[in-house]
Amino acid sequence: MTSNKALFKQMFLQKRHYADLVLLIQTFAVAFMFLMGIIFKGNGNSVNNMASGIFRNDNIWDLILGLGTLTTFFADVIFLGLMCWQNEKINLSQTWQLIPASGSKIWIINIISSIVECAYIFVIQVVIGMIVVIIDSYSHNINPFVGTSFGANISFGETVWAFVEELLALVGLVLIIFAFVSLTNFLTRTIADQLPMKNTTGVRLVVMAILVIVGVIIALRINDQILTMYTNHLFTRANKAIDVDTLGISTLEYWIGAILLGIINCLLIQKFVEPKIVNR
């Protein structure tokens, strides 16, 4: 049997090229927009206006920080899409299925490697961003390592917990996106194979679109019901105003949903997907 470590390493190295490519493109995008912001100065410059909408644009470091923050959002969304595509490419690859490991094992390691890949690109972006923030702070004669009045009423424990909660929410969101994309892909192929009409790309796209729409509607309805039940439960027991931790509930939903979808995906792989790929 192929070891988990070897499988993970192979998948991670294969996907890291996409992370490096996205980071390189983001770097070129920031450099290009920065040059446009410097060359074409003035209030009518759309680059400066976009950057100042995130951070004030008093000097070049503000401009770089604003452009970096703006491009990071788009870079991460693009990278997430690339990882979804790469996940499904591996899941339906006959070469990967010939490895002496179960389809469920390959799927789980595939998802874990994509999560680590997302962490890889995220950490690099955060480290570079923190370096720019420190330089930008000193350019405004502000010591970034000295506490300010911002957040003075928040304890260190609350700050750490807020960071952990946001991190768990982010990982849970990425997990459930990966699991949902796999579920849609597996169900699409399973349903399309059972239809009496010819199994074509057009048929699969129609089936996939229907599954995505139905899945999103169900997810939104479940989320609304859970949040309503949670808030009603809190307000009926509280004698004073309270803070509703919707992020915590959403995080729990993400993780539970990802686990449930993961179990369904593993069952679909074992019963329908894996035998179909091997027998191609």
Side-chain angles (χ1 to χ4, degrees):
M1 295 291 288
T2 304
S3 67
N4 296 340
K5 183 178 180 180
L7 273 176
F8 173 84
K9 184 178 179 180
Q10 284 181 292
M11 292 181 182
F12 179 82
L13 293 177
Q14 180 177 334
K15 297 173 183 177
R16 197 178 68 181
H17 298 294
Y18 295 100
D20 295 336
L21 178 61
V22 170
L23 288 172
L24 183 62
I25 293 175
Q26 183 184 4
T27 302
F28 277 115
V30 172
F32 176 77
M33 295 172 71
F34 172 74
L35 290 176
M36 292 300 99
I38 294 297
I39 295 173
F40 303 102
K41 294 183 179 180
N43 294 329
N45 190 331
S46 58
V47 173
N48 287 329
N49 291 338
M50 286 189 298
S52 61
I54 302 174
F55 289 97
R56 60 182 183 177
N57 193 7
D58 295 337
N59 57 36
I60 61 173
W61 294 108
D62 288 341
L63 179 60
I64 293 175
L65 192 59
L67 293 175
T69 304
L70 180 65
T71 54
T72 293
F73 171 77
F74 293 102
D76 289 346
V77 171
I78 292 172
F79 184 70
L80 183 63
L82 285 173
M83 287 299 96
C84 288
W85 171 72
Q86 189 65 18
N87 286 346
E88 301 318 302
K89 186 178 178 181
I90 291 175
N91 289 335
L92 300 177
S93 169
Q94 190 173 24
T95 303
W96 280 100
Q97 294 298 330
L98 291 177
I99 293 175
S102 66
S104 300
K105 179 180 178 181
I106 293 174
W107 182 83
I108 292 172
I109 297 176
N110 190 14
I111 295 297
I112 294 174
S113 66
S114 291
I115 291 292
V116 177
E117 206 71 61
C118 290
Y120 168 78
I121 190 173
F122 181 73
V123 168
I124 293 177
Q125 290 171 332
V126 169
V127 170
I128 295 175
M130 290 302 299
I131 293 173
V132 177
V133 167
I134 292 172
I135 298 174
D136 185 47
S137 299
Y138 280 119
S139 70
H140 292 289
N141 298 318
I142 299 173
N143 189 343
F145 301 103
V146 176
T148 62
S149 58
F150 178 76
N153 296 325
I154 302 177
S155 66
F156 176 76
E158 291 175 329
T159 303
V160 172
W161 171 246
F163 174 77
V164 171
E165 191 176 41
E166 291 176 1
L167 189 62
L168 288 173
L170 187 61
V171 175
L173 178 61
V174 174
L175 269 175
I176 199 170
I177 289 174
F178 286 156
F180 178 71
V181 170
S182 291
L183 178 65
T184 304
N185 190 25
F186 295 156
L187 282 178
T188 297
R189 292 181 174 273
T190 302
I191 294 173
D193 289 339
Q194 305 302 320
L195 293 176
M197 63 188 72
K198 187 176 180 181
N199 188 350
T200 62
T201 303
V203 172
R204 290 182 181 179
L205 289 176
V206 172
V207 175
M208 183 176 292
I210 294 173
L211 290 175
V212 170
I213 294 172
V214 172
V216 170
I217 292 175
I218 292 175
L220 291 176
R221 294 296 298 270
I222 292 176
N223 180 66
D224 290 340
Q225 290 295 323
I226 292 176
L227 285 178
T228 300
M229 292 170 57
Y230 173 67
T231 52
N232 290 339
H233 173 74
L234 287 181
F235 287 132
T236 55
R237 291 175 172 270
N239 297 322
K240 58 181 181 179
I242 56 174
D243 293 328
V244 179
D245 184 17
T246 56
L247 180 61
I249 292 298
S250 297
T251 301
L252 189 61
E253 286 182 80
Y254 295 153
W255 281 89
I256 293 176
I259 293 172
L260 292 177
L261 293 182
I263 293 173
I264 297 174
N265 283 328
C266 290
L267 294 175
L268 287 173
I269 291 172
Q270 292 175 355
K271 189 163 185 177
F272 298 104
V273 180
E274 187 177 8
K276 186 77 174 179
I277 295 174
V278 173
N279 294 327
R280 278 196 308 203

